[in-house]
Amino acid sequence: MQVLAAVERVYGAVLRVENHWLREQSKQEGLVAEDTPAAPAPSLAALTGDAARVISAAMGLAGSASDAPEDPSALAEALVRSGQHHFFIHFLTVPKGCAVVPRALRLVDDAARRAFLFRLVGLFDFLAVIRPETPLAVVDTFIAQVLSPLVPFVGDADWPVVLQSLRALFAKRSFVWIALTKPGTVLLCILLSRLEILKAAAAGDAERDREDLADAAALTERIFDCLSDHLPEFFPASAPVPVPVVPEDNREFYSWQLMALLAMNVDADRQRAMVVELREGIMRVVEQGDAAAIGRLNVFLNALGLDASQLKQ
């Protein structure tokens, strides 16, 4: 009941802002007549601020920076010890709670978005959506409504947020299993994509950037080494005993993206090892000749300076 009440509070706050914005837009476009309320209506900025406070409190994201650990792993441990992790997990399990996340995250500030990301990463192994029995439709809904809205925030995140999130994910005992799930693959793609952009933008003569680059290189190599014996498992159709793949499942789109991001962050020896491990999957795609599948494969091959057309010769 507590979770359902929180979901309703978040929905109410979101709707108040959205309805206010729609009324103002309609007035500007002349679709409705200007009203003359007895008392001045609150501004959109004031309404958004109130809504952000309600959303942060209802989703458990409120509090000063000193109230919560600045690390997803430590935060998760604190939440589990206090039993508060159940609330966050159940919020994302309720379909209505999952559905309101994109709209809610647009209204809160970066501190609340970071709190949401750290809770998500820290508690990822508790989520029902990564269990094998979860229907594909539920998994894809979670990716669209919870992971995808984080892309703009992570896309602006600095080194500490990205590195802390990756370290926390990698530190989990079930990291390999998490990474092999579709939501885990997508989350890794989001974080590693931002890491690649930060690396490209790093100033070579800045001491902090040199330290961050060294940390990033060491971390991505450790991630690769942990996953290196499992790379073919990211492609169920290429397994020794092929696993039936649902036609509408776009899992390989994310899997090849992850392979490309790993390849861009490891040395030549590890890249060669990747090609050897993934040879059967690569040749399967090339031999089938499906243009869309070859396009997905080329995301990985291009990161190695190769192209699928070279393999046909």
Side-chain angles (χ1 to χ4, degrees), residues 70-74 76-77 117-118 121-122 158-175 178 187-188 191-192 195 208-223 226:
E70 290 291 309
D71 172 79
S73 296
E77 290 175 8
L117 173 65
F118 279 8
V121 170
D158 57 8
W159 286 102
V161 170
V162 178
L163 289 175
Q164 286 169 6
S165 297
L166 280 170
R167 286 194 196 103
L169 203 59
F170 178 67
K172 293 182 178 297
R173 290 192 295 269
S174 54
F175 170 69
I178 291 172
L187 181 58
L188 274 173
L191 294 171
L192 288 173
L195 191 65
R208 180 181 171 185
D209 282 338
R210 283 202 296 272
E211 293 176 2
D212 288 331
L213 284 169
D215 288 346
L219 179 58
T220 49
E221 285 186 357
R222 289 167 61 203
I223 289 173
C226 186

Side-chain angles (χ1 to χ4, degrees), residues 31-113:
L31 299 178
V32 297
E34 290 280 351
D35 52 3
T36 54
S43 67
L44 181 60
L47 203 60
T48 301
D50 289 341
R53 285 188 286 275
V54 171
I55 291 167
S56 294
M59 294 178 69
L61 309 178
S64 66
S66 60
D67 292 335
E70 290 291 309
D71 172 79
S73 296
L75 176 60
E77 290 175 8
L79 291 172
V80 171
R81 280 198 306 270
S82 65
Q84 296 177 28
H85 65 299
H86 294 295
F87 176 85
F88 185 80
I89 294 165
H90 291 164
F91 193 101
L92 296 182
T93 304
V94 177
K96 196 172 183 179
C98 205
V100 79
V101 167
R103 295 153 69 186
L105 290 181
R106 284 197 294 267
L107 298 178
V108 298
D109 60 17
D110 281 348
R113 294 188 189 102

Side-chain angles (χ1 to χ4, degrees), residues 78-280:
L79 291 172
V80 171
R81 280 198 306 270
S82 65
Q84 296 177 28
H85 65 299
H86 294 295
F87 176 85
F88 185 80
I89 294 165
H90 291 164
F91 193 101
L92 296 182
T93 304
V94 177
K96 196 172 183 179
C98 205
V100 79
V101 167
R103 295 153 69 186
L105 290 181
R106 284 197 294 267
L107 298 178
V108 298
D109 60 17
D110 281 348
R113 294 188 189 102
R114 183 184 62 182
F116 181 86
L117 173 65
F118 279 8
R119 280 162 174 75
L120 182 69
V121 170
L123 299 172
F124 209 76
D125 44 342
F126 287 88
L127 298 176
V129 75
I130 66 172
R131 295 173 185 163
E133 66 271 18
T134 304
L136 176 62
V138 175
V139 171
D140 286 342
T141 297
F142 177 86
I143 290 171
Q145 295 180 337
V146 177
L147 295 182
S148 294
L150 287 172
V151 172
F153 169 67
V154 175
D156 290 329
D158 57 8
W159 286 102
V161 170
V162 178
L163 289 175
Q164 286 169 6
S165 297
L166 280 170
R167 286 194 196 103
L169 203 59
F170 178 67
K172 293 182 178 297
R173 290 192 295 269
S174 54
F175 170 69
V176 172
W177 176 64
I178 291 172
L180 286 168
T181 67
K182 190 174 179 181
T185 299
V186 173
L187 181 58
L188 274 173
C189 284
I190 292 172
L191 294 171
L192 288 173
S193 294
R194 177 56 182 166
L195 191 65
E196 194 61 30
I197 293 171
L198 287 170
K199 286 170 54 184
D205 58 348
E207 186 64 32
R208 180 181 171 185
D209 282 338
R210 283 202 296 272
E211 293 176 2
D212 288 331
L213 284 169
D215 288 346
L219 179 58
T220 49
E221 285 186 357
R222 289 167 61 203
I223 289 173
F224 173 83
D225 291 343
C226 186
L227 296 176
S228 59
D229 291 336
H230 304 274
L231 299 184
E233 297 173 46
F234 284 92
F235 305 91
S238 301
V241 179
V243 177
V245 177
V246 181
E248 59 270 22
D249 187 1
N250 60 348
R251 177 189 177 87
E252 289 201 359
F253 169 81
Y254 299 108
S255 295
W256 286 122
Q257 278 197 338
L258 179 58
M259 297 303 108
L261 288 163
L262 291 174
M264 293 163 69
N265 283 283
V266 297
D267 56 33
D269 288 338
R270 287 180 172 87
Q271 289 178 345
R272 282 191 287 271
M274 288 188 79
V275 174
V276 172
E277 284 291 318
L278 295 171
R279 183 180 181 282
E280 289 188 15

